[in-house]
Amino acid sequence: MAGASAADVRSILSLPSSSTSAPAQPKKPAVPISRKPSGISRELYSLIGPSAPTLVAQVAKPRLKQKPNLSGGGTSKWSWRSFKNSARTDGLELGHWVKANTDPDAGPSLVFSPRYRYKDKGTLEYPFARYNAKSPDYTYSQEEYTNFLEDPEWTKEETDYLFNLIREYDSRFYIVNDRYEFPGGPFRSMEDLKDRYYSVCRKLIRNRPWSGDEASKAQLISTFQFDKEREVTRKKYLLSLENRTPEELAEETALYIELKRIEQNEKRFKQDRDRLLRTLLGAECGLPDLPIDEDGPLGDPKKRKKGAPGELDSPATPSSALFASSVPKRAQSAKSAAQDAMHCIQRMDVTMLAGTTPKTTHQAAHLRSFRVPYPKAAVAAKVSQIAGELGVSLSRLVMPTRDTLTAHEALLESITSLVEAKKVADRLDLEIRTAKIRLGMRESEVPAEMAMDVDEDGQAPDTPGEGRAHSVVSTRSGRSRKQASFRKVIPRSFPVAYWRWRSPQTGTSNDRRSMSVSSVDTSATSTARAGTKRQKLS
Amino acid sequence: MVQYGGDEVSALVIDIGTSSLRAGYAGDDTPKAIIPTSYGFVPVARDGDVAMAEAETEAEPTAPKEESKLYIGQHGPSVWREDMQIGNPMSEGLITDFKPIPYLIRYALKDVLRCKPEDHPVLVTEPAWNTPANRERMAEIMFEEFDVPAFYIANTGVLNAFAAGKGSALVIDIGHSTASVTPVVDGFVLRKGLVHSALPQLVYAHAKHTLITSYKHPAVQLFSHQLIANKSPVEAGSPPRFTVREDRLSKTTPSLASYYENREVEEWVQTVAGVLDQGWNEQAASQRPLRHYEFPTGFNTYFGPERFQVGELFFAHSRDLVSSNPHLPRTIPSLISQALAACDPDMRQVLMGNVVLAGGGSLFAGFGERLNNELVRNFPHVKIHAPGNPAERRYGGWLGGSILASLGTFHQLWISKEEWQEHGKPIVAQRCK
């Protein structure tokens, strides 16, 4: 029914055939050529046409699984045949099973026949015979021995014995050394044997005529190099390593962990600083391509010296005074000076902005209140406690003028150093005590004490707080540039708390933490959302 | 087949141990014939009527005209016979009496495997401390009496390493009579590092002593079931009620009686005894569960801490024991440290990373863990390869031989009959390094 074409309709309605139908006519006989497959009704087939193979396949009569052919058509015959191994010197014939359809004259040929190689006679070789590889060995004549190889330590007989053993055991020196029993000879260590063997080989190569070029000769000689002294020292060192006591081992492990920790700290510190620098220089001022030293502005931190034992936690940052002298002061024009005086403007020297670097060509303007230093997080509690005892509130700086700020900074610094000093003193005290205990008691105290040490170090604060604080300040200044885009520093009496709220407080580490928290939050909400979605679906 | 480079030539592998003789086809994963090495024999008067072991009918041209009838196999020593004595050709892991060896091998090959030895190359194992004379004698037996086409004798230490898939290993083999530590490098034994001791014998002796003289329960009478006429069940710990077969008891030879007794002790050790994983500790031992065991007499009881004292002997000798006997066999840790001390410092790390535990004695309950704990203390990087399959552990030497003799590259190493006839005995030492 659906197969009815326009021509059919025309013929039913006895209409004259259109001109367009004429070319369609020759196509028509092509359709019946594609035969209607069985299992599908004619009507359906004329509907869907031949272009539905998947449907046809489904409709097609189901076929049963082919029955296994058990009559032996797929099996191959095997026969027991004897073979000769060309790696043998005798005529031993062993037998093995091979496929019967292989050429019987060809000797053994198995499933791995591609690996067979034809010998010159055209017969096949036993496949495993070619693994009978011999390493090249060196022999010498009596004449050669007397000319080159004389050694007061070795007789010719013993040298012969050594070379025989090495040949016998394919240069496996551990075995050679184990089996070495030259009657009447002195005790020989493995290094003695190796030294003798390699030196003889070197001399032979050097003194024999060489067909190739000098380079290849030198290369060959270099493969026979043996430094006996070095080997002996190495073995001694190995032995001493093995003979370490458990205490020494524990100490070494502790030291190693400590070293790793310091390295990690330094790395983190460097990363932080680089990030800071990038923030300062690059992205926010639209100068992303500004070159930054790989080591950061302060040079390679590894090259810098470590401070006191208490300062292991963070590398010391040199004070900004270092740079103060190196940066030429900008001359102030008289005109601007007059203007400044009129408008009560105090110009700050760039280098006075602590922690900034001479490279920061773009010194952003910022509020002084941003420069209010805060004690380090590690000692904050103690510092505020001491400040409280003094009756000073650190959190609230009512008027952050230059003078107040300087005084504030000085106060904070001295409190911090006081706390540091206390800490160091405490630690030393503890160390003295534990040392006394250790003196009194046995070594079993060692692990416990070490654990204490590690704890102490874990708490140890970043002593050069100055540097860290400065860098923090400079970040803040960078960040606040958009909020206050004027160059001059204006004393502001905004409550500090406000600025705290507006900008991240303590440097980058806090920043990162807050970021991670927010990401966790979002993921949590997203999963919650997904959960609700799932609920809806169900 | 291609991957592992095997080429089966239907070789036979024979592994002779103190407790059992293993024989089978190379390429199999377990030996087909496992027969006790101990054999029974009844001395008879020399009247020329010589009969060999039950199934043997062929004449033996070279067999010694013994005045005895040998009882071999599963129905050999374990079946009670009047006036039968028990012999064992091994001592300290070595064959010391070669007379019964051909009978034992013939029984394994002809009566159990039912194959013709003259059609098959034969690989025989030997302990690492075997003497040259011994291995030559073994080659002689195989070529002259069994007419094998090819022969090879390989070291159990090396074979155990091969069975574990390692070329270099420190093989700790705890057998029935001997414990040995063998450093193997590139398939060769480092002879200077090879150590062995009769430790398992001490363990069994101690176990027997524990059973007979324990203060906790009446002395255990170690009658085997062959000697017991009847018994009735009794409460745990109370004296047994049984009657002995008096007719048999009087005709049981001392060697058979001690063989049966030792069998009972071994069975007890294998069932009940163990070793603590963290050194001897009275408290830990008493906290472990008691284990029930019933002897053939019907006597049954629960064994507590004393079952762990038995295993402790593998690892440490108590002060009393040392002071009473200065010539005690060395413990496993001291054997290992002695073996390592003789090895090159470079090699020690390699060896400790490839410790192979083998032998039926290593199936002792808790042995592997304890060994690991002992070794980790001194060698943090130790790695012990201990097959979980008991057959693989017990017959590791045989399994390694099975692997070796089915390798395509190995077939150039066989000592052929032709070579034997040409070179004679020296060929053995020359070929089997």
Side-chain angles (χ1 to χ4, degrees):
Chain A
M1 195 162 70
S5 64
D8 294 337
V9 174
R10 276 178 214 282
S11 72
I12 289 166
L13 299 178
S14 53
L15 290 171
S17 61
S18 68
S19 60
T20 52
S21 69
Q25 284 296 5
K27 274 182 195 166
K28 244 193 159 180
V31 179
I33 287 173
S34 61
R35 249 183 58 235
K36 180 180 81 71
S38 60
I40 183 166
S41 67
R42 187 180 56 83
E43 290 83 3
L44 181 60
Y45 182 68
S46 59
L47 256 180
I48 58 175
S51 61
T54 53
L55 190 61
V56 172
Q58 279 171 9
V59 172
K61 195 179 165 191
R63 272 192 196 157
L64 293 173
K65 201 172 108 189
Q66 202 182 5
K67 281 186 180 165
N69 186 4
L70 299 171
S71 58
T75 57
S76 54
K77 279 202 184 285
W78 290 70
S79 65
W80 180 263
R81 276 187 214 147
S82 56
F83 67 95
K84 277 193 175 185
N85 189 343
S86 59
R88 296 187 65 92
T89 51
D90 64 339
L92 175 68
E93 284 207 0
L94 296 165
H96 59 188
W97 288 101
V98 286
K99 278 202 172 156
N101 54 10
T102 50
D103 181 14
D105 297 331
S109 63
L110 293 172
V111 276
F112 39 87
S113 50
R115 300 198 299 167
Y116 271 78
R117 288 187 308 185
Y118 281 92
K119 287 197 290 189
D120 31 354
K121 284 177 214 155
T123 52
L124 285 170
E125 192 187 358
Y126 182 58
F128 295 104
R130 66 189 162 116
Y131 294 111
N132 184 29
K134 286 275 171 202
S135 50
D137 53 332
Y138 284 86
T139 47
Y140 43 85
S141 61
Q142 178 66 45
E143 189 189 344
E144 275 176 321
Y145 188 86
T146 44
N147 284 344
F148 317 116
L149 306 176
E150 290 284 4
D151 190 309
E153 296 265 306
W154 291 76
T155 60
K156 174 147 195 306
E157 286 71 36
E158 196 172 356
T159 314
D160 290 348
Y161 175 76
L162 171 70
F163 271 70
N164 275 334
L165 269 184
I166 284 169
R167 202 171 305 127
E168 199 177 333
Y169 293 109
D170 284 333
S171 310
R172 291 186 178 93
F173 274 95
Y174 292 112
I175 320 290
V176 170
N177 184 41
D178 185 64
R179 306 287 152 96
Y180 196 88
E181 266 171 14
F182 186 69
F187 169 78
R188 304 279 188 199
S189 69
M190 191 154 86
E191 285 70 37
D192 293 334
L193 301 182
K194 276 187 178 174
D195 189 40
R196 177 66 177 159
Y197 175 72
Y198 287 131
S199 66
V200 166
C201 288
R202 281 200 305 270
K203 280 173 193 161
L204 284 177
I205 296 168
R206 215 171 279 141
N207 292 305
R208 275 177 182 172
W210 183 257
S211 55
D213 54 341
E214 281 302 305
S216 62
K217 185 174 178 176
Q219 199 185 358
L220 186 65
I221 288 176
S222 72
T223 61
F224 286 101
Q225 278 309 335
F226 182 74
D227 189 347
K228 188 176 163 187
E229 291 307 313
R230 193 167 152 268
E231 282 294 298
V232 170
T233 328
R234 188 178 67 83
K235 288 252 165 89
K236 270 187 193 155
Y237 179 63
L238 257 181
L239 272 180
S240 72
L241 275 182
E242 269 177 31
N243 294 333
R244 283 174 302 180
T245 59
E247 288 80 37
E248 284 169 328
L249 271 177
E251 192 182 335
E252 259 172 50
T253 322
L255 279 176
Y256 181 74
I257 291 170
E258 179 76 351
L259 181 73
K260 281 281 151 206
R261 211 168 52 78
I262 291 169
E263 269 174 17
Q264 247 172 13
N265 273 340
E266 278 201 18
K267 210 176 180 183
R268 203 182 53 214
F269 184 68
K270 200 183 135 199
Q271 276 173 354
D272 282 1
R273 201 177 38 209
D274 283 358
R275 252 173 51 126
L276 274 179
L277 211 65
R278 232 158 241 141
T279 324
L280 281 175
L281 298 182
E284 288 192 18
C285 22
L287 294 169
D289 298 331
L290 219 62
I292 297 170
D293 254 12
E294 269 306 297
D295 293 336
L298 304 174
D300 192 347
K302 279 172 197 157
K303 284 173 194 159
R304 272 177 289 121
K305 267 173 96 179
K306 292 280 169 303
E311 300 173 351
L312 278 177
D313 227 359
S314 64
T317 318
S319 70
S320 54
L322 195 73
F323 300 106
S325 56
S326 63
V327 180
K329 288 195 175 179
R330 206 186 296 160
Q332 265 185 354
S333 64
K335 183 190 169 193
S336 64
Q339 198 188 6
D340 288 351
M342 199 170 72
H343 295 286
C344 294
I345 290 171
Q346 294 171 334
R347 284 203 184 272
M348 303 277 294
D349 190 11
V350 177
T351 53
M352 272 187 68
L353 298 168
T356 55
T357 66
K359 275 191 188 169
T360 52
T361 49
H362 187 93
Q363 179 57 51
H366 59 277
L367 296 180
R368 181 176 287 131
S369 56
F370 282 155
R371 287 183 50 219
V372 176
Y374 295 98
K376 298 213 55 78
V379 292
K382 282 180 184 170
V383 169
S384 57
Q385 189 193 343
I386 292 172
E389 282 171 21
L390 294 172
V392 179
S393 168
L394 283 181
S395 57
R396 194 173 151 76
L397 209 59
V398 180
M399 203 59 156
T401 59
R402 199 146 59 109
D403 300 334
T404 354
L405 213 60
T406 323
H408 180 80
E409 230 170 274
L411 175 66
L412 209 61
E413 214 169 281
S414 53
I415 292 178
T416 311
S417 58
L418 179 67
V419 170
E420 294 305 330
K422 173 86 169 68
K423 207 160 228 181
V424 171
D426 282 353
R427 193 222 303 274
L428 286 176
D429 206 30
L430 190 74
E431 268 174 21
I432 290 165
R433 226 185 304 144
T434 47
K436 274 179 183 166
I437 291 168
R438 185 149 60 158
L439 264 179
M441 294 170 74
R442 302 206 62 82
E443 289 96 315
S444 59
E445 294 294 298
V446 169
E449 196 221 343
M450 228 138 35
M452 257 190 307
D453 264 350
V454 170
D455 272 355
E456 267 284 303
D457 288 337
Q459 290 174 1
D462 306 338
T463 321
E466 198 186 1
R468 197 59 78 85
H470 286 325
S471 59
V472 167
V473 167
S474 53
T475 352
R476 242 179 262 133
S477 59
R479 273 174 199 287
S480 57
R481 192 174 38 74
K482 273 181 189 161
Q483 295 161 359
S485 53
F486 34 84
R487 183 107 181 67
K488 295 148 210 167
V489 181
I490 302 163
R492 294 289 297 259
S493 56
F494 265 82
V496 177
Y498 170 75
W499 291 105
R500 266 201 199 150
W501 173 74
R502 282 303 297 269
S503 61
Q505 276 313 295
T506 35
T508 48
S509 61
N510 236 4
D511 239 356
R512 209 179 299 154
R513 206 171 302 145
S514 67
M515 263 164 65
S516 65
V517 165
S518 66
S519 65
V520 166
D521 279 345
T522 51
S523 66
T525 51
S526 67
T527 48
R529 231 173 280 146
T532 53
K533 216 177 264 180
R534 226 173 286 134
Q535 276 176 351
K536 273 177 200 165
L537 278 174
S538 61
Chain B
M1 183 178 271
V2 183
Q3 285 82 5
Y4 78 87
D7 187 14
E8 313 275 1
V9 296
S10 82
L12 297 173
V13 180
I14 301 172
D15 181 19
I16 307 179
T18 312
S19 151
S20 65
L21 183 152
R22 283 80 70 172
Y25 289 102
D28 284 359
D29 56 356
T30 41
K32 283 217 169 13
I34 301 165
I35 59 166
T37 313
S38 296
Y39 57 94
F41 62 99
V42 180
V44 292
R46 283 172 188 272
D47 56 358
D49 182 23
V50 175
M52 288 304 144
E54 291 155 322
E56 283 169 7
T57 49
E58 303 111 299
E60 299 262 1
T62 53
K65 296 285 180 195
E66 277 282 74
E67 65 278 18
S68 55
K69 178 177 167 65
L70 296 190
Y71 298 98
I72 297 169
Q74 299 302 339
H75 304 293
S78 58
V79 175
W80 185 89
R81 289 181 183 87
E82 198 177 316
D83 292 332
M84 183 172 75
Q85 296 185 11
I86 300 294
N88 191 313
M90 315 286 286
S91 74
E92 295 270 316
L94 295 183
I95 302 172
T96 45
D97 177 16
F98 271 95
K99 275 184 210 155
I101 293 294
Y103 301 110
L104 288 165
I105 293 176
R106 192 172 294 276
Y107 180 85
L109 298 188
K110 292 205 164 172
D111 296 310
V112 184
L113 285 180
R114 299 205 172 273
C115 66
K116 283 177 163 175
E118 51 269 30
D119 291 345
H120 303 278
V122 173
L123 184 138
V124 182
T125 67
E126 57 167 2
W129 55 96
N130 203 9
T131 61
N134 254 0
R135 59 209 318 232
E136 281 162 12
R137 180 85 181 88
M138 182 54 86
E140 198 180 340
I141 288 174
M142 295 317 295
F143 279 120
E144 308 296 338
E145 291 188 26
F146 290 94
D147 199 27
V148 295
F151 168 81
Y152 193 80
I153 190 159
N155 200 300
T156 45
V158 174
L159 295 182
N160 271 313
F162 285 171
K166 295 170 191 298
S168 301
L170 187 72
V171 179
I172 301 172
D173 189 347
I174 319 286
H176 182 263
S177 68
T178 317
S180 66
V181 176
T182 318
V184 176
V185 175
D186 285 347
F188 292 95
V189 170
L190 293 185
R191 288 187 191 146
K192 282 170 186 162
L194 167 72
V195 283
H196 61 100
S197 79
L199 195 57
Q201 294 173 22
L202 178 75
V203 173
Y204 288 125
H206 181 84
K208 192 171 181 176
H209 182 78
T210 307
L211 289 178
I212 293 174
T213 66
S214 176
Y215 58 92
K216 285 185 181 164
H217 47 77
V220 179
Q221 290 156 297
L222 294 167
F223 289 117
S224 70
H225 63 88
Q226 289 97 331
L227 300 175
I228 287 168
N230 59 55
K231 59 183 174 185
S232 49
V234 291
E235 287 293 307
S238 52
R241 285 198 298 273
F242 66 103
T243 44
V244 182
R245 295 181 70 151
E246 294 294 345
D247 55 327
R248 283 189 170 186
L249 197 60
S250 56
K251 287 168 185 161
T252 304
T253 60
S255 68
L256 184 63
S258 81
Y259 178 74
Y260 283 161
E261 274 188 9
N262 290 336
R263 284 280 297 266
E264 291 310 321
V265 173
E266 280 156 29
E267 189 133 345
W268 180 82
V269 166
Q270 284 159 17
T271 316
V272 171
V275 63
L276 294 172
D277 51 0
Q278 296 286 357
W280 178 249
N281 180 349
E282 194 77 45
Q283 202 180 354
S286 58
Q287 276 170 355
R288 299 289 282 268
L290 302 174
R291 186 139 319 159
H292 181 252
Y293 188 78
E294 181 175 333
F295 292 92
T297 55
F299 173 73
N300 65 95
T301 188
Y302 290 91
F303 291 94
E306 66 263 40
R307 68 194 181 101
F308 293 108
Q309 263 164 349
V310 175
E312 199 60 27
L313 283 174
F314 277 119
F315 294 97
H317 295 329
S318 66
R319 292 220 181 90
D320 304 343
L321 204 60
V322 174
S323 58
S324 66
N325 184 358
H327 300 294
L328 282 173
R330 312 191 57 168
T331 60
I332 300 288
S334 85
L335 285 178
I336 292 172
S337 57
Q338 191 188 348
L340 282 184
C343 293
D344 195 83
D346 279 345
M347 220 54 236
R348 286 177 202 165
Q349 288 295 325
V350 177
L351 292 177
M352 289 320 283
N354 295 287
V355 176
V356 173
L357 193 55
S362 69
L363 289 169
F364 198 85
F367 189 94
E369 285 161 32
R370 175 67 181 276
L371 183 69
N372 191 40
N373 289 335
E374 293 274 339
L375 292 182
V376 158
R377 232 171 273 158
N378 293 324
F379 308 95
H381 307 297
V382 71
K383 204 168 181 187
I384 297 182
H385 175 98
N389 178 4
E392 216 167 290
R393 193 94 70 91
R394 292 175 72 186
Y395 310 127
W398 186 90
L399 182 60
S402 165
I403 292 169
L404 182 65
S406 57
L407 286 180
T409 43
F410 171 72
H411 299 319
Q412 67 180 69
L413 287 174
W414 292 107
I415 301 167
S416 68
K417 198 168 176 58
E418 185 186 334
E419 284 171 315
W420 170 258
Q421 281 158 355
E422 193 178 327
H423 299 98
K425 286 178 178 175
I427 185 84
V428 181
Q430 200 184 320
R431 189 64 59 78
C432 312
K433 290 164 187 168

